[in-house]
Amino acid sequence: MADNLPAEFDVVVVGTGLPESIIAAACARSGQRVLHVDSRNYYGGNWASFSFSGLLSWIKENQEKSDVSDECEDWRKLILENEEVLSLNKKDKTIEHVEAFCFGDQDSAKDVEEAGALPKLPVFGASGAEGVAQDPDKECPPLESAVARAESCEPEKAASVDPASTAEVNDTEVNCENESSHSLSSGESAPDLGKAEAAPSEVSAQEPKKIMYSQIVREGRRFNIDLVSKLLYSRGLLIDLLIKSNVSRYAEFKNATRILAFREGKVEQVPCSRADVFNSRQLTMVEKRMLMKFLTFCLDYEQHPDEFQDYKNSTFAQFLRTRKLTPSLQHFILHSIAMVSETDCSTLEGLQATRKFLQCLGRYGNTPFLFPLYGQGEIPQCFCRMCAVFGGIYCLRHSVQCLVVDKESGRCKAIIDHFGQRISANYFIVEDSYLSESVCRNVCYRQISRAVLITDQSVLKTDSEQQVSILTVPPVDLGQPAVCVIELCSSTMTCMKDTYLVHLTCPSTKTAREDLEPVVQKLFHLNTETGKETENEELEKPRVLWAVYFNMRDSSGIDRNSYSSLPSNVYVCSGPDSALGNDCAVKQAETIFQEMFPTEEFCPPPPNPEDIIYDEDEIASEESGLSNSPETKPEPSPEESSSREINRYAMFKS
């Protein structure tokens, strides 16, 4: 394998997380020769998705933390006298305090085999992700039609929406009202999932099915479990980049259907669009008018500085109290619309967050958020696919021993991989987890607390089982972080039928279990043994079938100067942050790309195959080759010609 790799590239990227994958795609699109390697056997790093069995292997690997030995011991012979080495980590230290719990009969699954499992699947951790490599020329719809197909049966109507258009205040409110009802009605009948499961849902509401652990193991390939839990803002940077670069054709998306709130020990739905507000039974007519008036103000708050300039030094929670809003409205706005901290968020930050939420309403549905089918781990692989289409070379299970640095110039000249091959390049992109402790000795990392649950019911039961919900649970004590809860149904292709996949995330103060278990106990039923006085209450809660807790390193926001002895042409990409969206990763990728290639456009749209102009010599050689063949082949159709041209660029190497 190593003998087949070229010895020289323009850009070498180490790690396949989201920012690294975006940079690799942008570099390949601009004509750079890209080598993209990862020591792991799956794409995405800490952004990856796993099947259930894949996640169990990941848990075992991170609990054991076994040492990795060098496959090539004589690689130091390749270092010249005027060079020095910058060693890279051989094992991942970004995951800590991994604890998994099974709340069923775990012994019953000892002899159970995963249905449809192949012997030693190659590279992808998630079943849905494998299609990216196995079928590189599959035609996928653009983002608008992909969303429409997941939410509606009218792709032509959705495709006519201008992706770059921005709605004014009145247009936003009208779109929210019209598309809200459309999304709710058609979203439940989305591709053979909503209507097909509507009838069983009535039965299951009366007699909940008991899911056994052995069934989860058997149906493990139906799970696509994200290591990091995020949603895509419909007018966020990642959606704009997916549309601009046409990478959206490689994925499909589902609209998040509900915004929930946890107040006074109960979960309730938050009205956020105009239609939701006026249809809400939770709010009085006075509250509805107060809420609409405040949300209208937030859309153009900069035009009315006199209403908030006296509260610039106050928190957003204090500002809300001055607006004569009821306690329930203040709770909804603070925790479920702005989704900000009660103690740390300023008035301006809260107004900006509220406006961002409102501006994203109505573009694809009645909430501001989209979720990629098969999990968040699909997104890095989509950009890897774009990079491969434009000539990038991919090598998984391919670790890098060190960076080779020239002592005089201080620039990195090459890498040496675990086969002992020296590969030169002009620029190097390295995921933060690969940097050694000597380089990161002055870096202070934050931590993210994560929990993933498999449950048997939704936190808020409705007529439809197919709901994608986001819930913010405020902290019990002031100063503690709020917990973001994202609940996924089976139509997102992330869990098996009759189960839900629940992600909990917050900035860490302790271990993940200490941070998140109190919230889990509020929302879910953990044990089968309960007292008579709480039995009825506990039975109303969803039952947790399986859970895992872990802490993940948050290296976002670290200044480049914090890293010691970092060569000028080596750029560091951080892992996931604790924010709900992906703006940090997109900004980081674009900033690094512009520093390397300031005159190049960042991820421009790819050319249409029909617009490709062939070289005359190439055409002549192809014609001569055809004339010498014993059989005359018919002239290909334009569609076949386009497909052949794309095939010519599609190349995965692993």
Side-chain angles (χ1 to χ4, degrees):
M1 174 62 201
D3 295 337
N4 296 330
L5 282 177
E8 186 177 347
F9 289 86
D10 296 314
V11 181
V12 172
V13 184
V14 182
T16 52
L18 181 58
E20 303 96 87
S21 301
I22 294 174
I23 294 171
C27 291
R29 177 66 185 90
S30 66
Q32 308 298 321
R33 297 168 298 169
V34 177
L35 173 64
H36 202 168
V37 300
D38 200 327
S39 62
R40 306 173 179 92
N41 64 346
Y42 54 86
Y43 283 87
N46 285 346
W47 303 79
S49 298
F50 292 99
S51 65
F52 186 71
S53 61
L55 185 64
L56 293 180
S57 300
W58 178 87
I59 291 171
K60 183 178 179 181
E61 178 184 340
N62 281 277
Q63 287 176 336
E64 292 177 351
K65 294 288 185 183
S66 57
D67 293 333
V68 181
S69 59
D70 292 344
E71 292 186 26
C72 177
E73 297 179 357
D74 58 350
W75 59 269
R76 293 186 180 274
K77 297 178 182 178
L78 301 173
I79 308 301
L80 305 178
E81 291 184 1
N82 63 334
E83 296 173 344
E84 58 184 359
V85 300
L86 205 60
S87 298
L88 298 183
N89 280 337
K90 303 299 184 297
K91 54 183 180 179
D92 189 359
K93 299 180 180 179
T94 61
I95 305 296
E96 296 179 321
H97 310 300
V98 182
E99 300 178 79
F101 302 91
C102 177
F103 297 94
D105 186 4
Q106 197 165 359
D107 294 334
S108 64
K110 281 185 178 180
D111 299 325
V112 175
E113 294 185 1
E114 190 177 63
L118 299 176
K120 291 232 175 181
L121 284 174
V123 291
F124 291 88
S127 60
E130 291 157 11
V132 178
Q134 293 174 358
D135 189 10
D137 303 305
K138 180 179 125 182
E139 281 297 324
C140 298
L143 181 60
E144 280 81 358
S145 58
V147 172
R149 194 162 69 186
E151 294 299 319
S152 166
C153 297
E154 300 177 330
E156 295 83 7
K157 180 179 178 182
S160 65
V161 179
D162 182 8
S165 64
T166 54
E168 297 179 356
V169 175
N170 294 334
D171 293 336
T172 302
E173 294 175 354
V174 171
N175 287 340
C176 293
E177 186 173 358
N178 294 339
E179 293 192 29
S180 173
S181 58
H182 169 76
S183 176
L184 287 173
S185 60
S186 62
E188 295 166 9
S189 60
D192 300 330
L193 292 165
K195 285 188 176 180
E197 296 180 0
S201 69
E202 298 175 2
V203 178
S204 61
Q206 299 172 357
E207 299 178 6
K209 294 181 180 179
K210 188 174 182 181
I211 307 295
M212 305 296 292
Y213 180 72
S214 57
Q215 187 178 353
I216 294 176
V217 174
R218 186 180 299 109
E219 301 292 329
R221 289 175 61 79
R222 297 191 180 276
F223 289 88
N224 287 288
I225 303 172
D226 293 323
L227 292 184
V228 60
S229 177
K230 290 182 177 291
L231 294 173
L232 284 71
Y233 281 92
S234 64
R235 295 189 188 276
L237 295 180
L238 184 55
I239 288 291
D240 292 342
L241 180 61
L242 288 168
I243 294 173
K244 173 188 174 184
S245 62
N246 214 11
V247 172
S248 56
R249 70 172 66 186
Y250 302 138
E252 295 181 75
F253 302 84
K254 183 176 179 63
N255 185 241
T257 55
R258 299 187 301 187
I259 309 294
L260 305 179
F262 185 78
R263 183 169 174 268
E264 296 179 353
K266 294 182 180 179
V267 178
E268 49 190 356
Q269 188 165 348
V270 176
C272 46
S273 67
R274 177 186 286 270
D276 288 344
V277 170
F278 285 106
N279 291 330
S280 174
R281 297 180 179 179
Q282 305 163 239
L283 306 178
T284 65
M285 284 303 298
V286 175
E287 285 181 315
K288 291 178 180 180
R289 291 172 184 169
M290 293 168 64
L291 180 59
M292 286 305 305
K293 182 179 180 181
F294 180 78
L295 296 182
T296 303
F297 158 72
C298 290
L299 279 168
D300 60 349
Y301 71 91
E302 292 176 330
Q303 307 300 321
H304 309 281
D306 54 308
E307 295 194 34
F308 65 86
Q309 61 184 359
D310 294 338
Y311 304 97
K312 284 185 177 180
N313 298 325
S314 305
T315 64
F316 188 51
Q318 293 171 336
F319 173 71
L320 291 177
R321 296 188 193 106
T322 67
R323 301 293 298 186
K324 299 180 181 179
L325 299 169
T326 62
S328 60
L329 292 181
Q330 293 179 38
H331 182 94
F332 289 163
I333 294 168
L334 186 67
H335 297 292
S336 301
I337 295 179
M339 289 182 281
V340 294
S341 169
E342 189 170 347
T343 56
D344 300 332
C345 178
S346 67
T347 298
L348 284 177
E349 291 172 340
L351 291 172
Q352 290 168 0
T354 305
R355 181 173 65 179
K356 180 179 180 180
F357 181 99
L358 297 172
Q359 288 175 337
C360 293
L361 284 171
R363 190 178 192 186
Y364 299 119
N366 67 322
T367 72
F369 304 110
L370 295 175
F371 182 80
L373 297 187
Y374 301 102
Q376 175 74 29
E378 286 290 284
I379 303 300
Q381 294 180 72
C382 290
F383 284 99
C384 289
R385 182 177 177 182
M386 175 184 174
C387 177
V389 165
F390 285 94
I393 295 179
Y394 278 83
C395 297
L396 297 182
R397 297 185 292 273
H398 198 101
S399 61
V400 177
Q401 301 284 355
C402 66
L403 305 176
V404 181
V405 182
D406 183 72
K407 292 181 180 179
E408 295 182 4
S409 64
R411 290 176 62 86
C412 184
K413 298 170 61 177
I415 63 168
I416 297 178
D417 65 13
H418 64 279
F419 291 117
Q421 182 178 6
R422 178 171 171 141
I423 302 172
S424 302
N426 298 323
Y427 300 97
F428 300 84
I429 315 298
V430 182
E431 180 193 320
D432 174 86
S433 65
Y434 286 94
L435 296 178
S436 62
E437 293 179 0
S438 61
V439 177
C440 303
R441 60 176 178 263
N442 297 324
V443 177
C444 183
Y445 293 111
R446 293 172 293 189
Q447 296 287 324
I448 304 171
S449 291
R450 290 276 291 116
V452 182
L453 317 176
I454 299 175
T455 67
D456 63 345
Q457 298 179 53
S458 173
V459 291
L460 183 62
K461 300 175 187 176
T462 58
D463 294 336
S464 172
E465 292 181 347
Q466 300 305 313
Q467 300 279 2
V468 179
S469 310
I470 175 172
L471 165 67
T472 303
V473 180
V476 177
D477 302 320
L478 290 178
Q480 296 294 314
V483 175
C484 177
V485 181
I486 296 177
E487 184 185 73
L488 305 173
C489 59
S490 60
S491 66
T492 61
M493 309 303 178
T494 60
C495 57
M496 58 179 277
K497 185 181 176 183
D498 298 323
T499 64
Y500 290 84
L501 194 64
V502 182
H503 293 272
L504 294 90
T505 309
C506 74
S508 299
T509 58
K510 303 175 184 177
T511 67
R513 186 181 176 188
E514 291 174 317
D515 283 339
L516 298 174
E517 194 171 52
V519 175
V520 173
Q521 291 173 342
K522 287 181 181 179
L523 298 173
F524 303 98
H525 171 47
L526 294 176
N527 302 313
T528 54
E529 299 177 1
T530 56
K532 292 183 179 179
E533 65 279 1
T534 61
E535 188 172 352
N536 293 334
E537 179 185 350
E538 291 292 331
L539 288 175
E540 292 179 359
K541 296 180 180 179
R543 187 166 63 97
V544 176
L545 308 173
W546 184 87
V548 62
Y549 298 88
F550 59 91
N551 290 90
M552 177 184 291
R553 178 192 293 177
D554 179 2
S555 56
S556 63
I558 295 177
D559 187 77
R560 178 187 173 87
N561 297 326
S562 300
Y563 299 103
S564 304
S565 306
L566 196 66
S568 58
N569 61 333
V570 174
Y571 299 89
V572 181
C573 288
S574 68
D577 61 347
S578 59
L580 180 62
N582 298 275
D583 285 2
C584 179
V586 178
K587 288 178 182 177
Q588 186 179 79
E590 184 171 8
T591 300
I592 291 175
F593 177 82
Q594 294 297 349
E595 287 182 8
M596 294 191 297
F597 308 107
T599 60
E600 297 287 342
E601 184 180 357
F602 180 64
C603 285
N608 292 321
E610 294 82 1
D611 298 334
I612 296 175
I613 301 175
Y614 295 92
D615 188 279
E616 292 182 1
D617 296 336
E618 182 183 357
I619 296 175
S621 63
E622 288 185 359
E623 289 177 350
S624 63
L626 286 174
S627 62
N628 293 332
S629 60
E631 297 180 3
T632 303
K633 296 182 180 179
E635 184 178 350
S637 65
E639 292 79 6
E640 293 172 338
S641 177
S642 302
S643 176
R644 185 177 61 187
E645 187 61 31
I646 295 175
N647 283 338
R648 183 174 300 172
Y649 288 105
M651 177 172 59
F652 267 93
K653 224 171 181 183
S654 58

